[in-house]
């Protein structure tokens, strides 16, 4: 939109300045001229008054001369003579101020009075001008003259107000109020042609000539012209002020308009920019569906220009032929005012023929007066959205498929409420959750939660299955804290482990049986000793009893010895039984020294038979162990037996078996070193594997079982070369008495 160009900024205050300058100049001019006019007026007044004074004085003088002349023409007593009468008449007629004329002959009474005169003053005996008298409000003055023969006196009464009326010309009367003041300063006559304005100035002039003591006063009228002249500067000033004010107001208005226009311009530009930057298509139609306006988005979407679309009515060119009906239905619905708040989904066609899906929203187009003038349509291209939704759906399906294909049960639940937010098929199957799980369901193993992350085994008493549960705290899609739990069914593993444990136990027992079998001859020899002793004590007893005087004391001693030997035999048998007995591991407090003694007791004959030199090195401060003593005995038994067997090929002089018991921090460290052939790298690799043996009668399980037992006790077992030849087997077991370190 274009706006008329506004004048340059510096031009704007010019009219105001010119007006102000004009007003100032004019006011100055008026003030100057007004001063001059005032002076002129005063001079004029003075001049006028001088003239007026002169006129009145001259008239009085003229009256006097006329009366003197009249007196000169009065012959004797003949004042009735027609020529005299005619002269009197002429005098009175030409001098209206002469209001009385009487002829006296020296007495009080007038002898003749002019019939035309209204006032006649009495004769006071003097000639010349008399004094001023006010008779019935009229200022009167007399002039008395004497005839040449001194027989008669002519007394003329002159009315000063009449004189004033006649002597003040009209043009002077227009300008001034002329009044006469008596000797006492009071106004005796005035010529008032107009209403008098007392505010104006006065001019006073005394009359120099008779009648004496009179003063002439003039007061100028405030003529309309003068008033106008007075007011004109003010009017002009006000006018200029008003002009200035109006220019100022105009300027302010222009400024405001400029600001508003600038705002409007930027707002229009902004709206246009906003409208054009919208990816939404906007279309305005009239009530018949005729396109009034489309924005750039609409053009971009359809591929038609605004000019091409303007003025078109349905069906529009961007309706695809196969969708005409649907488009028409949507268009009809909009024009009929059936507006769906969710909009209409339709398919449109670009000018190029390409189809695209849109969602159309319609609303009423209301003009500034609130009149419904058409329809406003917003159009969104939802092709990409649909594609994305489909892709999202597919991705979701893939995710669900993968999740449901997992063997593990997966669940996500709210940390606070325990509400199950998501679960896979396996989870639902395994934990048989009812349909209402979506609303609120506590995951069965929720009680297992402690501090994250949690890895635990859990036995579900309902399904009678074992689960390995991995729990992790995580953040859900809505930002809330959740538990992500993966439960893997480990029942099969557990069963296998149990089976293996049992097998292991059996194996251990078998191994012990085998060991015992191998040692059978030694054991037989061992048992033989007490049994032989018992037999010899028995025969000794028999001999004592056969004597005539049996020595009972000796008998009792022999019997005691017998019992002792029987006890020892019993101990040996109990030891063997305990060793070979199949039993579950049981821990108790035990001393390593005692265990070693038991083993050495069992192997005593083997050591002697092989002529091995056994040495023991032991720290003094070894604490007790919390372990299964029989198991540890078996470990030591195996290691010593292996060491002895390894030294079979060693010359007897070198057959040294060194046992050391020492403290290694929190662990007991047991080393059994021999001078056998040592171990090749291949052997080292195979050594602890089950069924690895180099012996003809060996089972190859001994070391494997030993390591299991040690690891079961949270210890370690390894082998290394014995410096100086042979090998040494080392194992550690913790001294810890904490029962929680080992599962019961
Ligand atoms: P077995 O004694 O029944 O063979 P073991 O597991 O106890 O089973 O031992 C496995 C193999 O390890 C033995 O056959 C032997 O070859 C080797 N072996 C064990 N102890 C020693 C040792 N102290 N010195 C050399 N070789 C040994």
């Amino acid at each position: 939109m274009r706006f008329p160009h506004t004048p340059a900024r510096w031009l704007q205050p010019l009219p105001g300045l010119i007006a102000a300058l004009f007003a100032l100049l004019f006011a100055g001019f008026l003030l100057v001229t007004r001063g001059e006019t005032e002076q002129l007026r005063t001079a004029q007044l003075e001049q006028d008054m001088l003239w007026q004074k002169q006129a009145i004085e001259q008239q009085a003088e003229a009256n006097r001369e006329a009366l003197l002349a009249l007196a000169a023409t009065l012959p004797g007593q003949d004042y009735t003579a027609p020529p005299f009468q005619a002269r009197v008449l002429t005098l009175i007629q030409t001098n209206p101020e002469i209001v009385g004329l009487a002829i006296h002959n020296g007495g009080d009474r007038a002898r003749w009075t002019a019939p035309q005169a209204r006032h006649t003053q009495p004769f006071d005996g003097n000639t010349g001008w008399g004094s001023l008298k006010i008779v019935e409000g009229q200022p009167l003055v007399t002039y008395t003259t004497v005839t040449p023969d001194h027989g008669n006196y002519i007394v003329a009464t002159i009315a000063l107000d009449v004189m004033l009326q006649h002597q003040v010309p009209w043009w002077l009367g227009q300008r001034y109020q002329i009044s006469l003041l008596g000797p006492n300063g009071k106004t005796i006559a005035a010529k008032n042609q107009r209403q008098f304005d007392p505010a104006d100035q006065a001019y006073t002039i005394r009359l120099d000539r008779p009648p004496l003591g009179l003063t002439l006063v003039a007061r100028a009228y405030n003529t309309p012209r003068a008033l106008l002249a007075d007011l004109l500067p003010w009017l002009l000033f006000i006018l200029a002020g008003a002009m200035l004010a109006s220019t100022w107001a105009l300027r302010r208005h222009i400024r405001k308009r400029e600001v508003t226009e600038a705002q409007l311009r930027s707002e229009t530009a902004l709206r246009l920019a906003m409208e054009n930057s919208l990816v939404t298509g906007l279309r305005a139609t009239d009530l018949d569906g005729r396109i009034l306006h489309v924005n750039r988005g609409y053009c971009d979407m359809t591929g038609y220009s605004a000019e091409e679309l303007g003025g078109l009515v349905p069906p529009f060119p961007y309706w695809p032929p196969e969708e005409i009906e649907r488009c028409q239905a949507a268009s009809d619905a909009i024009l009929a005012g059936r507006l769906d708040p969710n909009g209409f989904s339709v398919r449109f066609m670009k000018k190029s023929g390409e189809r695209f899906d849109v969602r159309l929203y319609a609303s009423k187009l209301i003009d500034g007066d609130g009149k419904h003038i058409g329809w406003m349509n917003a159009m969104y291209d939802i092709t990409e959205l649909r594609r994305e939704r489909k892709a999202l759906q597919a991705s979701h399906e893939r995710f669900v498929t993968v999740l449901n294909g997992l063997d593990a049960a997966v669940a996500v639940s709210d940390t606070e409420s325990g509400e199950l937010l998501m679960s896979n098929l396996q989870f639902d199957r395994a934990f048989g959750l009812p349909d209402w799980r979506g609303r609120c369901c506590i995951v069965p193993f929720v009680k297992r939660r402690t501090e994250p992350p949690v890895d635990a085994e859990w036995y579900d008493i309902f399904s009678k299955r074992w689960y390995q549960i991995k729990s992790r705290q995580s953040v859900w899609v809505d930002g809330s804290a959740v538990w992500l739990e993966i439960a893997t069914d480990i029942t099969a593993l557990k069963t296998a482990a149990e089976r293996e444990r049992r097998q292991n136990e059996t194996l251990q027992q078998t191994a012990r049986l085998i060991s015992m079998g191998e040692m059978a001859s030694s054991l037989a020899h061992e048992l033989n000793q007490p049994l032989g002793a018992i037999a010899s004590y028995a025969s000794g007893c028999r001999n004592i009893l056969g004597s005539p005087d049996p020595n009972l004391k000796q008998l009792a001693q022999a019997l005691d010895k017998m019992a002792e030997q029987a006890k020892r035999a019993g101990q040996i048998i109990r030891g063997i039984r305990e060793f070979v007995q199949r039993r579950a591991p049981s821990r108790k407090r035990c001393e390593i020294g005692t265990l070693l003694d038991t083993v050495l007791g069992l192997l005593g004959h083997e050591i002697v038979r092989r002529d091995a030199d056994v040495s023991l090195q032991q720290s003094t401060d070894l604490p007790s162990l919390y372990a299964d003593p029989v198991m540890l005995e078996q470990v030591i038994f195996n290691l010593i037996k292996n060491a002895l067997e390894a030294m079979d090929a060693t010359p007897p002089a070198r057959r040294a078996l060194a046992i050391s018991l020492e403290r290694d921090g929190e662990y007991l460290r047991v080393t059994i070193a021999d001078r056998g052939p040592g171990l090749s790298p291949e052997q080292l690799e195979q050594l602890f594997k089950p069924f690895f043996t180099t012996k003809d009668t060996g089972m190859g399980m001994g070391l494997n079982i030993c390591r299991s037992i040690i690891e079961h006790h949270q210890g370690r077992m390894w082998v290394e070369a014995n410096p100086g030849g042979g090998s040494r087997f080392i194992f550690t077991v913790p001294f810890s008495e904490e029962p929680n370190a080992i599962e019961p």
Side-chain angles (χ1 to χ4, degrees):
M1 195 183 285
R2 294 201 139 245
F3 293 92
H5 185 69
T6 45
R9 211 146 244 283
W10 64 271
L11 272 175
Q12 288 177 12
L14 209 60
L17 281 175
I18 291 171
L21 208 64
F22 167 76
L24 278 172
L25 282 174
F26 200 78
F29 169 75
L30 278 174
L31 278 174
V32 171
T33 42
R34 195 167 176 242
E36 281 175 5
T37 314
E38 206 55 43
Q39 281 175 0
L40 276 174
R41 278 178 73 186
T42 313
Q44 180 74 46
L45 179 60
E46 276 173 20
Q47 215 177 330
D48 287 349
M49 284 306 283
L50 281 172
W51 180 86
Q52 187 62 60
K53 174 188 167 229
Q54 224 173 0
I56 290 172
E57 281 173 353
Q58 275 177 4
Q59 184 60 32
E61 187 59 23
N63 283 349
R64 193 178 71 88
E65 281 173 5
L67 284 169
L68 284 175
L70 186 71
T73 58
L74 184 64
Q77 301 295 326
D78 195 9
Y79 42 79
T80 53
F84 181 76
Q85 290 279 332
R87 271 197 293 276
V88 167
L89 184 66
T90 308
L91 180 74
I92 289 172
Q93 276 176 348
T94 53
N95 297 291
E97 65 273 13
I98 298 176
V99 291
L101 193 97
I103 295 173
H104 291 261
N105 56 3
D108 281 348
R109 281 180 55 90
R111 296 185 59 192
W112 182 79
T113 305
Q116 294 85 359
R118 281 170 285 139
H119 297 278
T120 303
Q121 289 296 307
F123 174 57
D124 56 1
N126 297 318
T127 55
W129 290 99
S131 56
L132 174 73
K133 285 191 186 99
I134 309 292
V135 179
E136 295 171 11
Q138 196 167 28
L140 301 175
V141 71
T142 54
Y143 186 79
T144 308
T145 181
V146 66
T147 52
D149 57 1
H150 297 278
N152 290 306
Y153 295 90
I154 299 172
V155 179
T157 304
I158 296 166
L160 292 173
D161 57 338
V162 179
M163 187 193 273
L164 197 70
Q165 290 298 330
H166 284 90
Q167 287 309 309
V168 175
W170 65 269
W171 49 271
L172 210 63
Q174 280 292 315
R175 275 190 231 155
Y176 316 108
Q177 184 207 43
I178 310 281
S179 36
L180 265 178
L181 307 185
N184 58 1
K186 279 194 177 161
T187 304
I188 51 170
K191 182 157 179 173
N192 259 352
Q193 276 192 349
R194 293 159 45 191
Q195 203 183 346
F196 176 64
D197 181 356
D200 213 343
Q201 66 178 116
Y203 188 83
T204 310
I205 190 164
R206 271 184 84 82
L207 298 185
D208 302 329
R209 292 166 56 185
L212 287 168
L214 294 183
T215 309
L216 194 63
V217 176
R219 284 183 182 164
Y221 288 120
N222 248 342
T223 58
R225 240 183 98 199
L227 195 72
L228 194 70
D230 275 354
L231 282 179
L232 202 59
W234 294 110
L235 283 175
L236 277 167
F237 211 74
I238 290 166
L239 206 67
M243 213 162 121
L244 205 66
S246 66
T247 313
W248 182 257
L250 196 70
R251 206 172 141 228
R252 279 190 60 183
H253 176 74
I254 289 173
R255 280 244 173 110
K256 261 193 199 166
R257 235 188 99 164
E258 267 176 32
V259 171
T260 315
E261 275 177 11
Q263 280 174 350
L264 193 69
R265 250 198 305 274
S266 69
E267 200 181 307
T268 312
L270 178 72
R271 272 168 196 252
L272 203 70
M274 271 162 54
E275 196 189 290
N276 284 338
S277 11
L278 275 179
V279 285
T280 312
L282 293 177
R283 179 186 76 180
T285 67
D286 65 9
L287 291 168
D288 301 325
R290 177 173 285 101
I291 295 178
L292 302 174
H293 172 76
V294 286
N295 77 338
R296 193 184 291 167
Y298 204 90
C299 296
D300 290 349
M301 273 191 222
T302 55
Y304 289 92
S305 69
E307 289 72 32
E308 284 174 306
L309 292 174
L312 292 184
V313 287
F316 296 117
Y318 48 80
W319 288 3
E322 72 277 10
E323 295 281 335
I324 287 273
E325 274 178 29
R326 279 168 60 96
C327 293
Q328 188 66 55
S331 172
D332 290 347
I334 291 171
L335 293 181
R338 295 193 303 273
L339 307 177
D340 188 340
N342 295 320
F344 302 89
S345 263
V346 278
R347 176 161 290 189
F348 280 171
M349 178 177 73
K350 282 182 191 290
K351 199 177 180 182
S352 62
E354 188 190 333
R355 301 324 194 235
F356 62 104
D357 294 315
V358 293
R359 188 162 276 275
L360 269 183
Y361 294 90
S363 55
K364 282 182 178 176
L365 181 63
I366 309 286
D367 71 1
D369 302 327
K371 213 174 120 196
H372 177 203
I373 54 162
W375 301 97
M376 198 66 216
N377 296 283
M379 174 167 87
Y380 297 89
D381 188 340
I382 54 166
T383 317
E384 194 53 35
L385 203 74
R386 278 203 173 157
R387 204 174 295 146
E388 274 175 15
R389 199 175 289 166
K390 269 188 188 166
L392 203 70
Q393 181 71 25
S395 144
H396 179 72
E397 276 168 16
R398 277 198 297 278
F399 168 72
V400 169
T401 310
V402 168
L403 210 62
N404 287 341
L406 287 177
D407 284 339
V410 180
V412 176
S413 54
D414 189 85
T415 317
E416 291 289 313
S417 62
E419 185 187 345
L420 187 65
L421 302 170
M422 197 218 76
S423 63
N424 72 343
L425 198 65
Q426 191 55 33
F427 183 93
D428 298 348
R429 271 193 206 136
F431 302 108
L433 293 171
D435 288 340
W436 46 261
R437 69 176 185 270
R439 273 170 285 146
C440 179
C441 179
I442 308 300
V443 180
F445 39 84
V446 72
K447 64 177 188 297
R448 299 283 298 194
R449 290 173 183 157
T450 52
E451 283 299 308
V454 181
D455 286 351
E457 288 180 4
W458 176 66
Y459 182 68
D460 181 24
I461 51 165
F462 300 107
S463 60
K464 295 193 170 45
R465 299 193 75 78
W466 278 97
Y467 290 96
Q468 169 76 43
I469 294 169
K470 286 184 188 296
S471 306
R472 299 282 182 276
Q473 253 197 342
S474 184
V475 178
W476 194 230
V477 285
D478 63 356
S480 59
V482 290
W483 280 100
L484 167 66
E485 286 160 312
I486 302 171
T488 315
D489 190 335
I490 51 161
T491 316
L493 266 176
K494 270 267 176 194
T495 318
E498 179 63 17
R499 199 181 303 126
E500 195 184 339
R501 193 185 61 79
R502 287 219 191 94
Q503 278 174 356
N504 224 359
E505 253 176 40
T506 318
L507 257 176
Q508 284 177 36
Q509 192 207 9
T510 316
R512 285 192 292 269
L513 280 173
I514 290 165
S515 304
M516 281 298 124
E518 284 167 0
M519 295 194 306
S521 61
S522 313
L523 287 170
H525 182 75
E526 183 84 349
L527 274 176
N528 220 19
Q529 260 194 336
L531 289 175
I534 288 168
S536 68
Y537 283 129
S539 68
C541 287
R542 184 81 184 80
N543 291 341
I544 291 168
L545 284 172
S547 70
D549 183 16
N551 187 341
L552 287 177
K553 201 179 170 190
Q554 270 187 343
L555 187 71
Q557 277 176 348
L559 281 173
D560 281 349
K561 290 266 170 73
M562 254 169 78
E564 208 176 284
Q565 289 302 318
K567 205 173 167 187
R568 194 173 157 226
Q571 267 175 350
I572 293 167
I573 290 165
R574 198 164 41 252
I576 293 166
R577 202 176 58 214
E578 261 188 21
F579 190 71
V580 299
Q581 207 174 29
R582 183 183 164 179
R583 48 190 282 284
S586 85
R587 290 178 192 219
K588 57 175 96 150
R589 185 184 282 264
C590 49
E591 308 297 330
I592 185 66
T594 319
L595 301 182
L596 191 64
D597 284 350
T598 310
V599 175
L600 289 175
L602 285 171
L603 286 169
H605 280 278
E606 285 293 312
I607 295 165
V608 174
R609 191 168 64 82
R610 288 170 201 269
D611 200 11
D613 177 22
V614 177
S615 64
L616 174 66
Q617 207 185 346
Q618 183 177 4
S619 307
T620 47
D621 60 339
L622 294 178
S624 307
L625 296 169
Y626 185 78
D628 186 311
V630 178
M631 281 186 165
L632 283 193
E633 276 171 10
Q634 190 181 345
V635 173
I636 301 164
F637 183 97
N638 268 337
L639 295 180
I640 295 178
K641 192 168 92 45
N642 276 350
L644 291 173
E645 283 171 358
M647 292 192 290
D648 277 350
T650 311
R654 271 181 49 82
R655 286 180 193 166
L657 190 138
I659 302 168
S660 87
L661 306 175
E662 52 197 330
R663 191 175 185 146
D664 181 3
E666 293 298 305
Y667 290 83
L668 166 70
R669 187 187 177 104
V670 180
T671 311
I672 293 160
D674 61 61
R675 293 288 177 208
L679 292 154
S680 65
E682 295 79 37
Q683 273 179 309
L684 276 174
E685 224 175 81
Q686 305 278 326
L687 210 58
F688 292 99
K689 288 188 177 163
F691 309 113
F692 171 74
T693 180
T694 54
K695 299 168 193 165
D696 298 338
T697 53
M699 243 182 86
M701 283 304 294
L703 289 176
N704 179 268
I705 290 168
C706 287
R707 185 178 258 187
S708 314
I709 290 171
I710 293 304
E711 283 174 0
H712 187 67
H713 282 79
Q714 273 85 44
R716 276 198 324 123
M717 178 180 244
W718 69 98
V719 63
E720 53 192 44
N722 190 13
S727 47
R728 59 184 186 194
F729 283 78
I730 305 162
F731 72 86
T732 59
V733 272
F735 289 123
S736 168
E737 286 190 18
E738 294 295 320
N740 62 357
I742 304 154
E743 277 192 24

